């Protein structure tokens, strides 16, 4: 059975004063999750454990992300979090402060048996 992506949600988060990439990434994940209401699973009788969740976090210093803490933010499915270079650091030279902005893309995949589905023209 092939896996197909059924969900793509995006979010942004920030840490204005701590320069904490993980905190900003957690907020980006929560932002993306709050855009979703997934009734598909209950409607079709699919168990959430069948879902594979891939999260990509963009920050300027992905090596500073706590991947385990971010994975714990995902409430359903088998989650994997990956950090990549992205997001944005905004430096305020006058106050010697750097503000961190993170982006998150959350993708959900489920196995789909094409033989169970039939598309028809209307």
């Amino acid at each position: 059975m092939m896996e197909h992506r059924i969900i793509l949600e995006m979010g942004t988060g920030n840490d204005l004063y701590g320069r904490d990439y993980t905190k900003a990434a957690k907020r980006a994940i929560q932002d993306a999750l709050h855009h979703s209401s997934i009734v598909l699973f209950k409607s079709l009788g699919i168990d959430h454990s069948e879902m594979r969740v891939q999260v990509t976090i963009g920050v300027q210093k992905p090596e500073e992300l706590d991947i385990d803490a971010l994975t714990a933010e995902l409430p359903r499915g088998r989650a994997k979090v990956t950090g990549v270079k992205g997001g944005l650091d905004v430096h305020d030279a006058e106050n010697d402060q750097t503000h961190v902005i993170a982006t998150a893309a959350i993708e959900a995949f489920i196995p789909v048996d094409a033989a169970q589905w039939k598309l028809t023209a209307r």
Side-chain angles (χ1 to χ4, degrees):
M1 210 175 320
M2 282 187 62
E3 272 190 340
H4 291 275
R5 183 175 70 181
I6 59 163
I7 300 164
L8 171 61
E9 289 290 349
M10 289 150 280
T12 59
N14 61 64
D15 182 30
L16 296 178
Y17 301 107
R19 200 173 192 172
D20 185 330
Y21 293 97
T22 299
K23 181 189 275 187
K26 283 182 179 182
R27 290 175 174 171
I29 289 171
Q30 289 304 314
D31 182 47
L33 290 175
H34 286 106
H35 291 143
S36 292
S37 175
I38 308 167
V39 299
L40 170 87
F41 294 96
K42 188 170 185 175
S43 297
L44 297 178
I46 299 171
D47 189 296
H48 284 100
S49 66
E50 293 185 41
M51 177 176 57
R52 180 174 61 87
V53 180
Q54 173 62 51
V55 179
T56 305
I57 300 292
V59 291
Q60 285 294 294
K61 295 185 178 178
E63 66 278 3
E64 293 188 19
L65 291 171
D66 181 341
I67 298 298
D68 291 335
L70 296 175
T71 303
E73 293 290 305
L74 285 299
R76 305 251 193 277
R78 300 176 323 275
K80 179 180 179 193
V81 177
T82 304
V84 299
K85 186 159 177 68
L88 186 63
D89 284 356
V90 180
H91 188 68
D92 175 359
E94 185 176 325
N95 293 303
D96 192 30
Q97 185 68 52
T98 299
H99 311 291
V100 172
I101 303 169
T103 56
I106 301 177
E107 300 172 273
F109 300 82
I110 60 169
V112 175
D113 182 356
Q116 292 182 334
W117 299 90
K118 181 179 177 184
L119 297 177
T120 58
R122 289 195 165 217

